Amino acid sequence: MNNLKEKLASKGLKATAQRLYVYEALFNSREHPTAEEVFRKVSKVLPSVSLSTIYNTLETFVEHNLVNKVLSESGTARYDAFVETHHHIYSEKGEIIADYYDDGLAELLLSYFSKKKIFDYEIKEVRLQIICSTKE
Amino acid sequence: MNNLKEKLASKGLKATAQRLYVYEALFNSREHPTAEEVFRKVSKVLPSVSLSTIYNTLETFVEHNLVNKVLSESGTARYDAFVETHHHIYSEKGEIIADYYDDGLAELLLSYFSKKKIFDYEIKEVRLQIICSTKE
DNA sequence: CTGCTTGCAAATGATTTGCAGGAAA
DNA sequence: TTTCCTGCAAATCATTTGCAAGCAG
């Protein structure tokens, strides 16, 4: 998405080539890449890019809500250009298989919780981890 | 719980002092300690214990389903002696605040999914991450 | 006894940081 | 110009591993 330049500007961030390519790499992937994977993709078009720039860039995006950070069971961080609330489907091994979007589900959960009046705190978000047996 | 010795025996694991104390440390804590925190607790009673033994012991317990491993947003692993399915309440910062047990919720979710017939895979488990605003 | 476990130290993997030069605004 | 950003190398943090000695079964 090329309105990224505007989003960056509106947040006082400079629109560098590195940032544009990192975002592009994420946006064109449905695979929740790791920093290392983003690095390999961006390297193809910007061979001099460094891994630490990838990490810094991703972290900057996360802080400014342009990108989501998700953890896999192995502890390695994965990144996702889709920031709307959604759920993740995991294999038994703990790797993320897919995203799962479902508005009805959010409503169901929130009405369930408000009926039960369980929380003193305000619920900001409810995310599901759906663990499935892997089809081989 | 002291039937731990039996559980260990039944799995062909030796009941060493280290293992008993690690389990005790977890069992007496509702705070999802990290390996480091378990290490500090066990050190008090067994000063010569090493951090790698803590890691190995915890990993052994996880493999044999005596203990659960949970990830905090920071990527550091936390451990939990309660292995029944339950959910975790997180602060906005991503630290785990509390456990949340709710059988009705599991049923609600499973019936929701079976009605919608979304998945080709078998759902093994559904875990919630409930993110709450922190009450200070 | 004998193999599973431990403790130590070194290795690893992921991510972060300090800093000097470089490029957007 | 001036501040923010990048690339490099070194540092850090959590966790894992190899190996010799120790202890439970």
Side-chain angles (χ1 to χ4, degrees), chain A residues 24-133:
Chain A
E24 192 187 33
L26 271 186
F27 199 82
N28 295 329
S29 164
R30 292 292 63 243
E31 297 136 29
H32 306 86
T34 62
E36 190 75 40
E37 285 158 359
V38 172
F39 174 61
R40 283 198 286 272
K41 283 198 183 194
V42 174
S43 291
K44 287 180 188 163
V45 61
L46 218 64
S48 67
V49 78
S50 82
L51 183 54
S52 56
T53 296
I54 303 292
Y55 274 106
N56 288 327
T57 303
L58 288 169
E59 212 44 49
T60 304
F61 285 172
V62 170
E63 279 161 19
H64 289 84
N65 256 292
L66 295 165
V67 156
N68 247 254
K69 190 177 188 172
V70 210
L71 297 175
S72 61
E73 212 64 20
S74 71
T76 317
R78 294 180 166 272
Y79 299 85
D80 191 334
F82 293 86
V83 290
E84 323 90 76
T85 294
H86 63 268
H87 312 286
H88 288 110
I89 304 175
Y90 292 78
S91 73
E92 288 168 285
K93 284 290 174 194
E95 285 310 302
I96 299 172
I97 302 174
D99 285 339
Y100 174 59
Y101 292 88
D102 188 333
D103 293 336
L105 184 56
E107 286 164 30
L108 180 72
L109 288 170
L110 291 175
S111 88
Y112 178 79
F113 286 127
S114 66
K115 241 178 263 152
K116 295 200 80 176
K117 293 201 183 50
I118 303 160
F119 293 105
D120 310 344
Y121 312 95
E122 186 200 354
I123 299 181
K124 289 198 57 186
E125 201 181 327
V126 176
R127 278 183 250 149
L128 262 70
Q129 301 172 252
I130 301 160
I131 296 93
C132 288
S133 52

Side-chain angles (χ1 to χ4, degrees), chain B residues 41-76:
Chain B
K41 284 199 182 195
V42 174
S43 290
K44 286 180 188 164
V45 61
L46 217 64
S48 67
V49 77
S50 80
L51 183 54
S52 57
T53 297
I54 304 292
Y55 274 106
N56 287 327
T57 303
L58 289 169
E59 211 45 50
T60 304
F61 285 171
V62 170
E63 280 161 19
H64 291 83
N65 256 292
L66 296 166
V67 157
N68 247 252
K69 189 178 190 172
V70 208
L71 297 176
S72 62
E73 212 64 21
S74 70
T76 317

